[in-house]
């Protein structure tokens, strides 16, 4: 049983899980706004993946427990000599159970 999910919903979940909206190109005055937003809502890559998991479970509540989900966040660093990476692969059932434990 294959079900399709909306790529637009997936993109919205990803964008809403970040510290600030990401832009491909910014003018200098806009950079300050993005930095300010990111600093007022700081998140590590692990925080973004956790937020994506929560929003995915909420947005796709109709998916069966055995539906596979891979959540991944990579922050390409400009200051450090390494990138930050977090990934979670699970079934919807596993994510639902984990999130239920967090709420309890």
């Amino acid at each position: 049983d294959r079900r399709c999910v909306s790529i637009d919903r997936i993109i919205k979940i990803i964008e809403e899980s970040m510290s600030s909206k990401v832009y491909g190109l910014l003018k200098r005055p806009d950079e300050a706004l993005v930095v300010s937003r990111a600093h007022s809502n700081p998140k590590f890559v692990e925080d973004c993946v956790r937020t994506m998991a929560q929003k995915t479970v909420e947005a796709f509540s109709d998916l069966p427990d055995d539906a596979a989900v891979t959540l991944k966040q990579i922050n390409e660093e400009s200051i450090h000599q390494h990138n930050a990476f977090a990934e979670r692969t699970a079934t919807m059932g596993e994510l639902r159970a984990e999130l239920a434990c967090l709420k309890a």
Side-chain angles (χ1 to χ4, degrees):
D1 178 29
R2 291 186 71 114
R3 297 185 192 185
C4 294
V5 296
S6 165
I7 190 69
D8 291 330
R9 287 174 76 188
I10 293 171
I11 291 169
K12 185 175 180 182
I13 287 169
I14 293 167
E15 289 178 341
E16 290 175 351
S17 298
M18 306 301 145
S19 296
S20 177
K21 187 172 179 178
V22 177
Y23 300 90
L25 179 64
L26 284 176
K27 294 182 179 178
R28 181 63 93 194
D30 298 327
E31 288 181 20
L33 179 61
V34 170
V35 170
S36 176
R37 284 184 185 158
H39 281 276
S40 67
N41 185 28
K43 289 187 176 187
F44 292 108
V45 289
E46 300 89 343
D47 299 323
C48 294
V49 168
R50 280 190 281 275
T51 302
M52 281 188 261
Q54 178 184 6
K55 291 182 176 294
T56 298
V57 167
E58 292 169 0
F60 300 107
S61 60
D62 59 321
L63 289 178
D65 282 344
D66 64 347
V69 178
T70 299
L71 307 160
K72 187 185 306 185
Q73 171 71 24
I74 302 170
N75 285 2
E76 296 179 357
E77 293 286 336
S78 60
I79 299 171
H80 304 100
Q81 294 183 0
H82 64 276
N83 293 333
F85 176 85
E87 181 176 6
R88 176 71 168 104
T89 300
T91 64
M92 285 294 283
E94 291 168 335
L95 292 178
R96 287 178 179 119
E98 291 172 14
L99 290 170
C101 286
L102 292 175
K103 291 180 182 178

